[in-house]
Every structure is written in C-alpha cells, then in structure tokens.
Amino acid sequence: MDKLKCSSFFKCRGKEKVSASSENFHVGENDENQDRGNWSKKSDYLLSMVGYAVGLGNVWRFPYLTYNNGGGAFLIPYAIMLALAGLPLFFLECSLGQFASLGPVSVWRILPLFQGVGITMVLISIFVTIYYNVIIAYSLYYMFASFQSELPWKNCSSWSDKNCSRSPIVTHCNVSTVNKGIQEIVQMNKSWVDMNNFICINGSEIYQPGQLPSEQYWNKVALQRSSGMNETGVIVWYLALCLLLAWLIVGAALFKGIKSSGKGVMFTALFPYVVLLILLLATLEGASIGISYYIGAQSNFTKLREAEIFCSPATQIFYSLSVAWGGLVALSSYNKFKNNCFSDAIVVCLTNCLTSVFAGFAIFSILGQMAHISGKEFSQVGKSGLDLAFIAYPEALAQLPGGPFWSILFFFMLLTLGLDSQFASIETITTTIQDLFPKVMKKMRVPITLGCCLVLFLLGLVCVTQAGIYWVHLIDHFCAGWGILIAAILEIVGIIWIYGGNRFIEDIEMMIGAKRWIFWLWWRACWFVSTPILLIAIFIWSLVRFHRPNYGTIPYPDWGVALGWCMIIFCIIWIPIMAIIKIIQAKGNIFQCLVSCCRPASNWGPYLEQHRGERYKGMVDPKTEADHEIPTVSGSRKPE
C-alpha cells in the first residue's frame, strides 16, 4: 500500500518508455504488447478467468443457497439474474481492461473523477487475499491430516470432551426413588443417575444435541479456537506453516507474471472438475436423498412468490463472477487488442454457473449419504461455508469406506479452487504496480511479487492465532460486502451514464468488429437500466439485512466491530479523496474542473498506436504521460 502514500501517485509525472528486454520475464518476443506482455495462449487466459470466477463459494455457498431457497425453484431466478446483472457486468469489465490494456486503477483514465473506484477494488482485493489464503492453509492442514489409516476426526478421542457424540446426549431423565416408604418419580441429572446407579425410566430421557467429532476436531485441534476475539492466544504453529506454504505456492506460480500463472492454471482450473465427478460417482444409496433436497422432488416452487429468492441469486451471481474486484480488468488487460472478449465473457460466465450446479450434485450426494448413514434429517447435516467444508463434509467422508482417500481428494480440490482465485487476486495487485511503475516492475518483477507475498503472509499471521477464525469472519463480513457493491454501482454509472454507453460500445466494436444494432439492444437495456437498478436493489437489501457480526453464538467485541468499520471505510474513502484531488488538479473554475474530470484523460484509448485508428489518433501516448493527467475542458482528442 506504499504506492498510495507516494506523492507521485497524485501528481503528473512523465514516464520513460521501457522496451522489452531479457530482464523482463513478463514479455515474450511474439507478444503484441512489448511493454506489458500478453497471454501466451488463449487457453491460459480462459482458464485463468474460469479459475478466478470458480472459487470456494461455488462449492460451499451455492448448493446450500439452492437448498435453502426452494431447490430447483432457485435456478429460475438464478438464470434471470445471470442474464440481467452478472453477464453484463462481466462483459463490461473484460472489454474495459482489454481495450486500454491497463489494470483496475490506471484504466480510470476513462473517467479521472472515478479513479478512486479502482483503488477501492484493489484495496478490498488485498484484504480478501489476506484471509483467503488462510482458508487455503486450512485446506492444506486437513489434507496433510488425512494421510493416516483412519481420519483423526472419525471418532471422539483424547482431544474431545463429554459433549462429543454423533447421537443426542441424555442430560436428564426420570427415576423412581423411595422417600420415607413412598415411591416417587423425580427428574434428575443424568450424571447423578449414573453415579448413584439408578436407571432411567424408558421414554423419560431429555436430550441435547451432541457435538460431532469433526466439529470438536475443527475447534479444539485444527483451530485451537479461543473463547472470543478478545483472547488472541498464541500463533498456531502448524497453521502458520501451512499459510507459509500456501504463499510459497502462490509466489512460485506468479514470479514470472502471467507467463507462469497461465501454466499453473492448466492444472488448478481443471482438477476440481475431475474430483467433483469422482465424488458424484462414488456416492451410494443415500445420494438420492441429498439430490431430492437439492433440485429434486423436495423443491419448493412456492418460494418464487417471496422477494428473497430473487435477492439471494442476484447476490450470489454478483460475488461468484468476481465482478468489481479488479481481477477481471487486470487479467483481460493482457489480451491482444482484437481478442473476442464477448465470446470469452459468455464462455466463462456459463462455465461458472454450470460448475455451481454441478458442484451441488456432488456436495449434496455426499451429505445425503451422511443423512442416510446417521439416520438424521437432512436439515441437520446441510451446512454452508466453513461449516460445510471443515465440519459436515469431513464428517461425511469419515463414514465412507476409504475415508482418508476421499478426504485427501476433497481438500486437494479445495486447495486448487482457492489457488486459482488467489493467483488472480495477486495478479491484480502486481498489475496495478506494473501500470504505476513500469520501469521498476520490468527490472524487479520477481522481488516485488515475492515481497508482496511476504507482506501479505505477515499480515495474515493474526488469522492463524487462536482467535484467527474470528478475524477471518470479521474481514469477510465487512470488506467483501458493501465496498464491492459501491464500486460496482459507481463503475457502471461512470462508464455507461457519464462516459457514455454508446461511446463505450464503439470502443468495443474497435476490438470485436462492428455489430448490428439488434446485437447491442440487450446490452444497452442491461447497462443503462436493469443492471444498475439491480445493483442498487442489492445494496439496499444488504443494508436492511445488516447485522452485528458474530461467530456462532459468540458476539464480537465493540472494538472488533469498530475495526471492521475502519477497514471498509479505509477502502472506500479513496473514492471521494481521489475525486477531490482530480478536481483540484484541473484548471478553471469549479464547474470547468468538474466537467474536465468527467471527460476521458488525454491518454485514454488503445495502448498501442496501431489500434487507435481515426477515433483516437489525437490521444497522447500512454507510455510517455502519467495516467492521471487531466485534459482541458475542451479535450485534446478529436470529438466523438
């Protein structure tokens, strides 16, 4: 974050043109853009985009949302929200990054007043990156713990307490006693009954749910969880080592930029599909139970009358596709200018959504098997989020023949799912540095990339203390919510309503070729009307549903909640700060300055001169002028 403190970030300064050299690991001889580099192959880009969009939420959030919102009925509003909000935003961001060949901060040459939106995206990505790698560390730990003849959480052990049980625990019961020759029936504590060798009267037992061995293992062994956020405790050393390993993997995959990460995703993006297919085929007779609750006979189509069934899929689509995080712009900025970003957006979005549906079959098949074996209602085993990944699913796998093998497979899948998204998030950060300091990045890509990983590892150590899980939930609760929604709303309003939707369409046609008016009819309807309205509705809905964070039944302290607000305020405060700075830098009276900041900068346009054509023939070379320079009110380019 030092780049935000550098005065040169806010002031106009010249940049020397940097030619490709042997020192630059990021550029190949055949790259179209010799300053920034391009993807080696189209497949590298597509797999990176799929890996970025398809993450842990596809496995542990979408299936539960489907089950909780009417099963098969949920897929109807989900498809509608994909068409109205998800795909239009995805296409917009891919087109934006590819057209200018710039990352999420510098791309706001398109509308200098809104450059703070790009900074907000990058800062939120940094916060999320910190805790996301902690979840990857959890997956690594469980994967290593699975290399035993019997899974350690299969049965209650020395680390468990008296509440550890797969079946309900008797707390009280009625016993028959004799008092002064009179027989009485009294209710007593079960421990007293056992100590005094009494026998419970059949049918009088009072039960309380027991804690599964996997739940106690998660809290007592894996996390060594403290009683609350106020009790930090010590760093859990094996989680810290797993976190270090996770960052070493990320650093090794990214030290050459997209040239190395593109090779890594060939495996990490495809392997989860193999595992999901194996898990789906491996389920036994209980699978039908889970699938019937997922999208089968237990589907409840009366849910379509409720407003929430439309808000939930809209929120899921928005976060699942990773729009407004900056990663889509960053990854697309390395495409060749004439790449068909429209077909890419269609392919990646459909792949992401179909993966979510497919993952649901695999997840619910195993949970159905668990309900069948344990004799419990499905509602008792259906979980979401971390509880699904590290409590419910490990419990289900422990009951299958060959449990360690399935467990290793499952957690390795979680590892690859997480790494894909992590690669893109770090690439978002390094792309931002690349755009701001290209000469430094060319010479020092490896130390800068590894330095970023080291700093983020050190910041993440608080998340592997005994109170670490509370920090993970706190950052997720605040940073991965409103800030992204605000950035997305301002992004579409700025580009479509201020820069101009029709002008932006002309920019896209410079890349993918001219299209008939009917082709753009749908996209105009979405960009101008439906998508911004839906985003605003989601934002209002999230405000109405806001609640004070807690972990299970444990509330967060006041200072923890205040810290969460400080984190999100720190991320979004740059939007007004940068707007004020841009207005101050502009020339003229306040009205002229405001109008000037709402026009593209003089160096906005295609990065390479060969692609500028007649429309951008007057633009200033972006390689020789700062990205934040503000044009005069009249502008320096031929009017559109």
Side-chain angles (χ1 to χ4, degrees), residues 2 11 17 36 87 154-155 278 379 433 451 484 620:
D2 290 342
K11 298 177 182 179
K17 181 176 180 180
R36 302 180 81 255
L87 187 53
K154 184 175 182 179
N155 298 302
I278 293 173
S379 59
I433 300 174
I484 293 298
V620 176

Side-chain angles (χ1 to χ4, degrees), residues 223-236 461-462 464-468 470-471:
L223 299 178
Q224 296 187 26
R225 180 164 66 87
S226 65
S227 59
M229 197 171 181
N230 284 321
E231 185 185 345
T232 302
V234 298
I235 292 177
V236 182
L461 286 177
V462 69
V464 290
T465 61
Q466 290 177 282
Y470 305 112
W471 286 91

Side-chain angles (χ1 to χ4, degrees), residues 125-248:
S125 291
I126 290 173
F127 276 110
V128 172
T129 296
I130 292 172
Y131 83 79
Y132 206 78
N133 231 26
V134 174
I135 298 174
I136 294 175
Y138 294 158
S139 302
L140 280 169
Y141 170 76
Y142 267 81
M143 186 180 72
F144 293 144
S146 301
F147 282 93
Q148 301 182 43
S149 58
E150 185 177 271
L151 292 173
W153 54 84
K154 184 175 182 179
N155 298 302
C156 299
S157 187
S158 57
W159 40 262
S160 59
D161 57 31
K162 62 181 181 180
N163 294 321
C164 181
S165 174
R166 285 197 174 89
S167 58
I169 300 172
V170 178
T171 58
H172 296 79
C173 67
N174 294 340
V175 295
S176 177
T177 62
V178 177
N179 184 17
K180 297 181 180 180
I182 301 175
Q183 188 174 18
E184 296 179 343
I185 295 177
V186 294
Q187 186 180 88
M188 302 299 295
N189 186 287
K190 184 63 167 61
S191 59
W192 182 91
V193 173
D194 293 337
M195 280 194 309
N196 292 276
N197 296 320
F198 278 82
I199 299 175
C200 293
I201 298 175
N202 287 337
S204 67
E205 295 89 350
I206 298 176
Y207 295 92
Q208 73 173 17
Q211 286 188 319
L212 293 170
S214 60
E215 182 178 359
Q216 292 213 346
Y217 184 88
W218 166 243
N219 289 313
K220 295 177 178 292
V221 181
L223 299 178
Q224 296 187 26
R225 180 164 66 87
S226 65
S227 59
M229 197 171 181
N230 284 321
E231 185 185 345
T232 302
V234 298
I235 292 177
V236 182
W237 66 269
Y238 43 81
L239 288 183
L241 289 178
C242 289
L243 180 62
L244 177 61
L245 177 58
W247 278 115
L248 288 174

Side-chain angles (χ1 to χ4, degrees), residues 293-306:
Y293 275 95
Y294 178 44
I295 57 172
Q298 299 296 327
S299 296
N300 181 10
F301 284 89
T302 61
K303 285 270 190 177
L304 291 173
R305 295 197 293 263
E306 301 176 9

Side-chain angles (χ1 to χ4, degrees), residues 603-619:
N603 56 353
W604 162 253
Y607 194 91
L608 300 179
E609 186 176 0
Q610 67 200 58
H611 298 135
R612 293 170 192 166
E614 189 68 21
R615 293 184 68 232
Y616 287 92
K617 68 178 183 180
M619 73 171 283

